[in-house]
């Protein structure tokens, strides 16, 4: 099959499997608490979810659905005050040793010092694609929207609508695998990682500040493709404009603005770590 007809088949398959629940988000309906001895709570009739960490445990939740492509929004308000040593992870992941994963990890800090947003992308079990940025606002003062766009051509991570990272599907050009075969679940957790998280582990968690709490609301994946292993797909018809979404020239400028002003680490420029050659996907970015 040539690549055009395989794309047509893929889109047809997608419209077949894409089912959408055209209703507002509800944490009771869409998620389940996976761990934390009562430290994870769903509040306000399902509109709000909080994760906490204390000396006994962290906590976490996951989506009931698995998705194969989607544009997924979540609003997060991170642990305020002295959050050093804590990590709030929000990610999509499939299962098994060859899993795909799209990671956002918020590394806490001392009061007044900036959080780091650490991102990574695993394909077929292989990661090592770390990038880190500071945010241009205090992520603990208010809720902000973190969006994962994942379509067959690319992954774009957005913060309040500003793109902070893109990973393109270049499988046919450079043979770097792209997550397009395994359905993923949404996961989040808050845990203690003070052996590495803040200033490389120099700053330890101050347990006198516990419990530490992060909050979630306005989850929105109404147009995402819910993966179904068996049953007939639902026939709801929602718009799937994101299936072909790409960065336009003004979004590319905003991505460059983030990289110029807020980037802390980029594996694609780490020639010490990759002395022979940078990973192949690094030569295919719209911002270079
Ligand atoms: C592409 O990658 C796969 C999996 O890593 C490998 O088995 C295959 O040999 C590669 N093909 C080429 C043309 O490099
Ligand atoms: C915490 O603040 C320090 C000092 O500003 C900074 O160097 C560091 O990158 C920040 N973030 C983390 C996670 O350590």
């Amino acid at each position: 099959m040539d690549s055009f007809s395989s794309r047509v088949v893929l889109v047809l398959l997608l419209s077949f499997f894409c089912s959408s629940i055209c209703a507002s988000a509800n944490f009771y309906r869409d998620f389940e608490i996976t761990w934390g001895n009562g430290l994870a709570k769903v509040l306000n009739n399902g509109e709000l979810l909080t994760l906490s960490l204390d000396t006994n445990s962290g906590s976490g939740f996951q989506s009931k659905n698995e998705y194969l492509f989607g544009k997924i929004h979540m609003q997060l308000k991170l642990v305020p005050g002295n959050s050093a040593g804590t990590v709030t992870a929000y990610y999509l992941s499939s299962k098994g040793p060859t899993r795909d994963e799209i990671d956002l990890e918020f590394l806490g800090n001392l009061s007044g010092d900036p959080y780091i947003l650490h991102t990574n992308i695993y394909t077929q079990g292989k990661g090592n694609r770390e990038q880190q940025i500071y945010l241009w606002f205090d992520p603990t003062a208010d809720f902000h929207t973190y969006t994962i766009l994942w379509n067959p051509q690319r992954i774009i991570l957005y913060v309040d609508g500003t793109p902070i990272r893109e990973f393109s599907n270049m499988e046919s050009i450079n043979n770097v695998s792209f997550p397009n075969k395994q359905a993923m679940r949404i996961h989040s957790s808050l845990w203690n990682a003070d052996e590495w998280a803040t200033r490389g582990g120099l700053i330890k968690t101050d347990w006198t500040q516990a419990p530490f709490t992060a909050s979630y609301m306005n989850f929105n994946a109404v147009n995402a493709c819910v993966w179904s292993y068996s049953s007939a797909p639902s026939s709801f018809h929602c718009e799937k404009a994101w299936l072909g979404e790409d960065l336009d020239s003004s979004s590319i400028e905003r991505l460059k603005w983030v990289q110029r002003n807020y980037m802390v680490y980029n594996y694609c420029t780490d020639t010490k770590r990759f002395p022979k050659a940078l990973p192949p996907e690094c030569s295919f970015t719209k911002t270079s």
Side-chain angles (χ1 to χ4, degrees), residues 174-177:
N174 59 16
N175 201 31
V176 173
S177 54

Short mmCIF file of all heavy atoms in Angstrom, two decimals, residues 174-177, ligand 1:
data_model
loop_
_atom_site.label_atom_id
_atom_site.label_comp_id
_atom_site.label_asym_id
_atom_site.label_seq_id
_atom_site.Cartn_x
_atom_site.Cartn_y
_atom_site.Cartn_z
N ASN A 174 13.26 8.82 8.89
CA ASN A 174 14.45 8.48 9.68
C ASN A 174 14.29 7.21 10.50
O ASN A 174 15.16 6.89 11.30
CB ASN A 174 14.83 9.66 10.58
CG ASN A 174 13.70 10.04 11.54
OD1 ASN A 174 12.77 9.28 11.74
ND2 ASN A 174 13.81 11.21 12.12
N ASN A 175 13.17 6.52 10.31
CA ASN A 175 12.95 5.24 10.99
C ASN A 175 12.90 5.38 12.52
O ASN A 175 13.15 4.43 13.24
CB ASN A 175 14.03 4.22 10.58
CG ASN A 175 13.58 2.78 10.83
OD1 ASN A 175 12.40 2.47 10.77
ND2 ASN A 175 14.53 1.90 11.15
N VAL A 176 12.60 6.59 13.03
CA VAL A 176 12.39 6.74 14.46
C VAL A 176 10.92 6.41 14.72
O VAL A 176 10.04 7.02 14.11
CB VAL A 176 12.68 8.19 14.92
CG1 VAL A 176 12.27 8.39 16.38
CG2 VAL A 176 14.15 8.53 14.72
N SER A 177 10.67 5.43 15.59
CA SER A 177 9.29 5.00 15.74
C SER A 177 8.45 6.10 16.39
O SER A 177 8.94 6.93 17.15
CB SER A 177 9.19 3.69 16.51
OG SER A 177 9.87 3.81 17.73
C1 LIG B 1 14.08 0.55 11.50
O1 LIG B 1 13.92 0.30 12.90
C2 LIG B 1 13.58 -1.03 13.18
C3 LIG B 1 13.26 -1.11 14.70
O2 LIG B 1 14.20 -0.39 15.45
C4 LIG B 1 14.71 -1.97 12.76
O3 LIG B 1 14.37 -3.29 13.06
C5 LIG B 1 14.91 -1.78 11.25
O4 LIG B 1 16.02 -2.55 10.85
C6 LIG B 1 15.16 -0.32 10.90
N1 LIG B 1 15.17 -0.15 9.45
C7 LIG B 1 16.08 0.57 8.81
C8 LIG B 1 15.92 0.71 7.33
O5 LIG B 1 17.02 1.13 9.39
#
